[in-house]
Amino acid sequence: MNRETDIVAYLKSNLKDRIIGREIYYFESVSSTMDVARELADRGAAEGTAVIAGIQKTGRGRLGRSWLTPKGSLAVSIILKPPQERLRYLPAISSLAVLQAIKNFGIAARIKWPNDVLIEGRKVSGILIENAMEAETIRYSIVGIGINVNFNSAEYPEIARISTGIAEHLKAEISVAEVAFHLLSELEVLYIKTKDMGRVTDNWLNNMETIGKRIRVNTGNAIKDGIAESVNAEGNLILRLDDGSAVEIIAGDVTLVKD
Ligand code: BTN
């Protein structure tokens, strides 16, 4: 079987009785899976609908950045409709799902707040969460996950120092369909667990390399240096500044600073 072209068949026969992946759309090439998922959600697509693309021409990342999706990558956007009070858990469960999916291939990975996943300090996955609100109420949320699977960072000198792919660490190419299967299965389990988030949050914090480290946060309009102290109930980062005061970071780009 050519698993990359039969990714939908592979997922449908392996993901059973699911919320996540109950409808799966696959495109060889697309602008961004976020846009396709949004269109589907606006037309009433069910919760759990997943949009997967082999290539994204204009993949996007957090903070207005672009996201590279060359052939051999996994790009997926999932439509979720969580109760409003569970929306804040989506960064934790999606980054943990990526972490577990990668661990299934015998590779250790860590989370960098809020939801980057790193192998040996280099980024292997990024997550973008976009919410559609009506007044103050959530209509749906789209969780977009990009994983560098058969991605050879050496081919992309501009990001080679900070990015990596799973295959680089296995010294062999792997099936994108299998990565997608593990990812969607793990996300399903964790999504159901948002009903009782205590243990999931502990697991998230235990896998986060950021906590306790000296970091620099770029919030888009300010740069803040300090020690990453903890993450609060909303999933926001608590940063202890050098003057002893603490600030809450809602969104930003974190880099570790060597002491
Ligand atoms: C980031 O690290 O800045 C987030 C990257 C998110 C990339 C994924 S790939 C699937 C989905 N489609 C997109 O255009 N972006 C997300």
Side-chain angles (χ1 to χ4, degrees):
M1 175 179 82
N2 178 346
R3 280 182 172 153
E4 306 334 334
T5 52
D6 288 346
I7 190 164
V8 176
Y10 180 80
L11 289 173
K12 282 200 169 144
S13 64
N14 286 285
L15 295 168
K16 297 212 172 69
D17 305 326
R18 299 273 167 184
I19 304 170
I20 293 176
R22 58 152 65 111
E23 292 285 346
I24 301 169
Y25 294 82
Y26 178 80
F27 300 88
E28 286 293 339
S29 175
V30 83
S31 53
S32 162
T33 54
M34 300 305 278
D35 296 334
V36 180
R38 186 174 280 266
E39 271 175 44
L40 287 166
D42 284 338
R43 282 195 267 122
E47 178 171 51
T49 299
V51 178
I52 301 176
I55 293 173
Q56 292 187 117
K57 287 173 285 193
T58 50
R60 57 178 181 266
R62 290 172 56 240
L63 309 170
R65 286 182 302 227
S66 57
W67 179 260
L68 273 181
T69 313
K71 202 168 179 322
S73 313
L74 174 62
V76 55
S77 291
I78 302 137
I79 300 169
L80 294 177
K81 301 182 180 178
Q84 183 96 3
E85 69 280 7
R86 291 192 212 145
L87 200 56
R88 61 192 164 140
Y89 300 136
L90 298 186
I93 64 164
S94 45
S95 51
L96 276 172
V98 172
L99 193 84
Q100 295 300 342
I102 292 174
K103 282 186 176 171
N104 271 299
F105 292 89
I107 296 177
R110 299 283 288 164
I111 295 166
K112 185 176 79 146
W113 184 89
N115 45 24
D116 286 351
V117 178
L118 314 180
I119 300 175
E120 294 176 5
R122 289 191 293 154
K123 182 158 165 172
V124 67
S125 169
I127 296 167
L128 174 68
I129 299 174
E130 294 179 346
N131 298 319
M133 306 295 290
E134 202 161 71
E136 296 290 286
T137 313
I138 178 85
R139 282 175 53 227
Y140 59 80
S141 186
I142 298 180
V143 176
I145 303 176
I147 305 183
N148 301 333
V149 181
N150 299 314
F151 173 91
N152 181 4
S153 59
E155 288 172 21
Y156 301 91
E158 67 281 15
I159 53 167
R161 203 177 47 80
I162 53 167
S163 303
T164 190
I166 302 176
E168 257 175 68
H169 298 266
L170 287 173
K171 311 267 183 281
E173 293 215 339
I174 53 171
S175 159
V176 175
E178 261 176 55
V179 177
F181 165 70
H182 289 300
L183 174 69
L184 298 183
S185 308
E186 299 290 351
L187 189 59
E188 168 96 9
V189 171
L190 289 160
Y191 188 55
I192 291 166
K193 280 192 188 158
T194 55
K195 288 175 190 150
D196 168 22
M197 252 324 259
R199 282 192 14 234
V200 179
T201 307
D202 287 349
N203 191 9
W204 188 47
L205 286 172
N206 288 338
N207 281 288
M208 199 178 285
E209 63 156 32
T210 321
I211 304 303
K213 300 265 172 63
R214 171 160 284 277
I215 59 167
R216 170 162 294 173
V217 186
N218 184 345
T219 61
N221 47 23
I223 307 271
K224 294 180 192 298
D225 286 320
I227 305 288
E229 196 165 87
S230 62
V231 173
N232 67 12
E234 278 69 47
N236 300 334
L237 184 70
I238 306 300
L239 180 69
R240 182 69 58 184
L241 301 176
D242 294 338
D243 66 6
S245 63
V247 285
E248 184 176 341
I249 310 287
I250 296 164
D253 199 30
V254 169
T255 18
L256 293 183
V257 177
K258 298 233 165 25
D259 281 314

mmCIF file of all heavy atoms in Angstrom, residues 1 7 52 79-80 83 88 113 118 126 135 150 160 169 180 219 231 237 239 241-242:
data_model
loop_
_atom_site.group_PDB
_atom_site.id
_atom_site.type_symbol
_atom_site.label_atom_id
_atom_site.label_comp_id
_atom_site.label_asym_id
_atom_site.label_seq_id
_atom_site.Cartn_x
_atom_site.Cartn_y
_atom_site.Cartn_z
ATOM 1 N N MET A 1 0.844 -1.204 0.000
ATOM 2 C CA MET A 1 0.000 0.000 0.000
ATOM 3 C C MET A 1 0.879 1.254 0.000
ATOM 4 O O MET A 1 1.852 1.328 0.713
ATOM 5 C CB MET A 1 -0.878 -0.006 1.261
ATOM 6 C CG MET A 1 -1.701 1.247 1.414
ATOM 7 S SD MET A 1 -2.762 1.232 2.876
ATOM 8 C CE MET A 1 -1.630 1.741 4.154
ATOM 9 N N ILE A 7 -3.751 7.548 2.823
ATOM 10 C CA ILE A 7 -3.748 7.949 4.230
ATOM 11 C C ILE A 7 -5.160 7.910 4.828
ATOM 12 O O ILE A 7 -5.345 7.475 5.956
ATOM 13 C CB ILE A 7 -3.052 9.324 4.388
ATOM 14 C CG1 ILE A 7 -2.815 9.667 5.846
ATOM 15 C CG2 ILE A 7 -3.759 10.440 3.677
ATOM 16 C CD1 ILE A 7 -1.798 10.794 6.049
ATOM 17 N N ILE A 52 -6.288 16.948 6.216
ATOM 18 C CA ILE A 52 -4.851 16.630 6.131
ATOM 19 C C ILE A 52 -4.346 17.030 4.747
ATOM 20 O O ILE A 52 -5.061 16.865 3.759
ATOM 21 C CB ILE A 52 -4.632 15.107 6.338
ATOM 22 C CG1 ILE A 52 -5.185 14.689 7.709
ATOM 23 C CG2 ILE A 52 -3.153 14.741 6.230
ATOM 24 C CD1 ILE A 52 -5.106 13.199 7.984
ATOM 25 N N ILE A 79 -11.233 20.111 13.598
ATOM 26 C CA ILE A 79 -12.320 20.968 14.103
ATOM 27 C C ILE A 79 -12.780 20.415 15.447
ATOM 28 O O ILE A 79 -13.153 19.238 15.542
ATOM 29 C CB ILE A 79 -13.514 20.976 13.117
ATOM 30 C CG1 ILE A 79 -13.077 21.507 11.753
ATOM 31 C CG2 ILE A 79 -14.687 21.786 13.690
ATOM 32 C CD1 ILE A 79 -14.111 21.304 10.646
ATOM 33 N N LEU A 80 -12.722 21.274 16.476
ATOM 34 C CA LEU A 80 -13.203 20.856 17.802
ATOM 35 C C LEU A 80 -14.260 21.845 18.285
ATOM 36 O O LEU A 80 -14.237 23.031 17.913
ATOM 37 C CB LEU A 80 -12.044 20.790 18.802
ATOM 38 C CG LEU A 80 -10.994 19.718 18.525
ATOM 39 C CD1 LEU A 80 -9.856 19.805 19.531
ATOM 40 C CD2 LEU A 80 -11.596 18.312 18.552
ATOM 41 N N PRO A 83 -16.610 22.679 25.211
ATOM 42 C CA PRO A 83 -17.304 23.653 26.040
ATOM 43 C C PRO A 83 -16.324 24.802 26.334
ATOM 44 O O PRO A 83 -15.122 24.566 26.457
ATOM 45 C CB PRO A 83 -17.627 22.882 27.327
ATOM 46 C CG PRO A 83 -17.376 21.458 27.016
ATOM 47 C CD PRO A 83 -16.454 21.383 25.855
ATOM 48 N N ARG A 88 -9.171 26.413 27.090
ATOM 49 C CA ARG A 88 -7.800 26.723 27.532
ATOM 50 C C ARG A 88 -6.917 25.482 27.595
ATOM 51 O O ARG A 88 -5.707 25.590 27.730
ATOM 52 C CB ARG A 88 -7.842 27.410 28.885
ATOM 53 C CG ARG A 88 -8.455 26.549 29.950
ATOM 54 C CD ARG A 88 -8.743 27.348 31.188
ATOM 55 N NE ARG A 88 -9.654 26.618 32.062
ATOM 56 C CZ ARG A 88 -9.546 26.591 33.363
ATOM 57 N NH1 ARG A 88 -8.592 27.243 33.954
ATOM 58 N NH2 ARG A 88 -10.399 25.925 34.081
ATOM 59 N N TRP A 113 6.940 25.845 25.960
ATOM 60 C CA TRP A 113 5.699 26.610 26.113
ATOM 61 C C TRP A 113 5.501 27.566 24.951
ATOM 62 O O TRP A 113 6.470 28.177 24.542
ATOM 63 C CB TRP A 113 5.730 27.408 27.433
ATOM 64 C CG TRP A 113 4.448 28.136 27.677
ATOM 65 C CD1 TRP A 113 3.342 27.675 28.321
ATOM 66 C CD2 TRP A 113 4.136 29.476 27.262
ATOM 67 N NE1 TRP A 113 2.357 28.629 28.330
ATOM 68 C CE2 TRP A 113 2.818 29.750 27.687
ATOM 69 C CE3 TRP A 113 4.812 30.480 26.551
ATOM 70 C CZ2 TRP A 113 2.176 30.969 27.435
ATOM 71 C CZ3 TRP A 113 4.179 31.700 26.293
ATOM 72 C CH2 TRP A 113 2.879 31.916 26.743
ATOM 73 N N LEU A 118 9.932 19.765 20.699
ATOM 74 C CA LEU A 118 11.341 19.768 20.305
ATOM 75 C C LEU A 118 11.956 18.383 20.456
ATOM 76 O O LEU A 118 11.610 17.642 21.381
ATOM 77 C CB LEU A 118 12.146 20.728 21.194
ATOM 78 C CG LEU A 118 11.596 22.125 21.494
ATOM 79 C CD1 LEU A 118 12.577 22.877 22.409
ATOM 80 C CD2 LEU A 118 11.379 22.929 20.232
ATOM 81 N N GLY A 126 4.896 22.280 15.350
ATOM 82 C CA GLY A 126 4.288 23.532 15.805
ATOM 83 C C GLY A 126 2.773 23.404 15.756
ATOM 84 O O GLY A 126 2.227 22.629 14.955
ATOM 85 N N ALA A 135 -20.017 36.563 19.577
ATOM 86 C CA ALA A 135 -20.033 37.347 20.819
ATOM 87 C C ALA A 135 -18.947 36.759 21.721
ATOM 88 O O ALA A 135 -17.809 36.608 21.310
ATOM 89 C CB ALA A 135 -21.409 37.345 21.456
ATOM 90 N N ASN A 150 9.257 13.227 7.489
ATOM 91 C CA ASN A 150 10.419 12.900 6.644
ATOM 92 C C ASN A 150 11.010 14.207 6.124
ATOM 93 O O ASN A 150 10.952 14.511 4.944
ATOM 94 C CB ASN A 150 9.968 11.993 5.501
ATOM 95 C CG ASN A 150 9.389 10.705 6.040
ATOM 96 O OD1 ASN A 150 9.969 10.082 6.931
ATOM 97 N ND2 ASN A 150 8.226 10.326 5.552
ATOM 98 N N ALA A 160 17.762 25.246 9.553
ATOM 99 C CA ALA A 160 18.402 23.974 9.935
ATOM 100 C C ALA A 160 18.863 23.955 11.401
ATOM 101 O O ALA A 160 18.801 22.933 12.075
ATOM 102 C CB ALA A 160 19.579 23.689 9.009
ATOM 103 N N HIS A 169 16.182 11.500 13.178
ATOM 104 C CA HIS A 169 16.608 10.846 14.418
ATOM 105 C C HIS A 169 16.478 9.333 14.337
ATOM 106 O O HIS A 169 17.114 8.616 15.094
ATOM 107 C CB HIS A 169 15.813 11.415 15.601
ATOM 108 C CG HIS A 169 16.069 12.876 15.753
ATOM 109 N ND1 HIS A 169 17.029 13.380 16.595
ATOM 110 C CD2 HIS A 169 15.540 13.942 15.097
ATOM 111 C CE1 HIS A 169 17.056 14.708 16.465
ATOM 112 N NE2 HIS A 169 16.157 15.066 15.566
ATOM 113 N N ALA A 180 0.169 10.190 11.711
ATOM 114 C CA ALA A 180 -1.178 10.795 11.831
ATOM 115 C C ALA A 180 -2.075 9.920 12.700
ATOM 116 O O ALA A 180 -2.828 10.423 13.541
ATOM 117 C CB ALA A 180 -1.779 10.974 10.442
ATOM 118 N N THR A 219 6.838 38.967 22.989
ATOM 119 C CA THR A 219 5.365 38.953 22.971
ATOM 120 C C THR A 219 4.815 39.649 21.719
ATOM 121 O O THR A 219 3.619 39.800 21.557
ATOM 122 C CB THR A 219 4.790 39.672 24.207
ATOM 123 O OG1 THR A 219 5.227 41.023 24.167
ATOM 124 C CG2 THR A 219 5.216 39.018 25.500
ATOM 125 N N VAL A 231 3.105 27.525 34.988
ATOM 126 C CA VAL A 231 2.000 27.799 34.070
ATOM 127 C C VAL A 231 0.744 27.805 34.922
ATOM 128 O O VAL A 231 0.559 26.921 35.763
ATOM 129 C CB VAL A 231 1.931 26.708 32.972
ATOM 130 C CG1 VAL A 231 0.691 26.881 32.123
ATOM 131 C CG2 VAL A 231 3.176 26.752 32.093
ATOM 132 N N LEU A 237 1.910 31.462 30.881
ATOM 133 C CA LEU A 237 3.230 31.287 31.501
ATOM 134 C C LEU A 237 3.473 32.370 32.552
ATOM 135 O O LEU A 237 3.221 33.555 32.303
ATOM 136 C CB LEU A 237 4.295 31.385 30.405
ATOM 137 C CG LEU A 237 5.726 31.129 30.813
ATOM 138 C CD1 LEU A 237 5.941 29.653 31.147
ATOM 139 C CD2 LEU A 237 6.671 31.538 29.693
ATOM 140 N N LEU A 239 6.225 34.363 34.361
ATOM 141 C CA LEU A 239 7.643 34.688 34.175
ATOM 142 C C LEU A 239 8.100 35.566 35.340
ATOM 143 O O LEU A 239 7.504 36.617 35.614
ATOM 144 C CB LEU A 239 7.817 35.439 32.850
ATOM 145 C CG LEU A 239 9.230 35.852 32.478
ATOM 146 C CD1 LEU A 239 10.086 34.636 32.136
ATOM 147 C CD2 LEU A 239 9.212 36.811 31.286
ATOM 148 N N LEU A 241 10.558 38.070 36.587
ATOM 149 C CA LEU A 241 11.530 39.025 36.024
ATOM 150 C C LEU A 241 12.699 39.225 36.982
ATOM 151 O O LEU A 241 12.612 38.890 38.168
ATOM 152 C CB LEU A 241 10.842 40.365 35.749
ATOM 153 C CG LEU A 241 9.658 40.319 34.782
ATOM 154 C CD1 LEU A 241 9.000 41.687 34.667
ATOM 155 C CD2 LEU A 241 10.082 39.823 33.405
ATOM 156 N N ASP A 242 13.775 39.802 36.466
ATOM 157 C CA ASP A 242 14.979 39.958 37.280
ATOM 158 C C ASP A 242 14.771 40.911 38.462
ATOM 159 O O ASP A 242 15.495 40.839 39.450
ATOM 160 C CB ASP A 242 16.150 40.419 36.398
ATOM 161 C CG ASP A 242 16.516 39.332 35.389
ATOM 162 O OD1 ASP A 242 16.183 38.151 35.664
ATOM 163 O OD2 ASP A 242 17.092 39.645 34.343
#
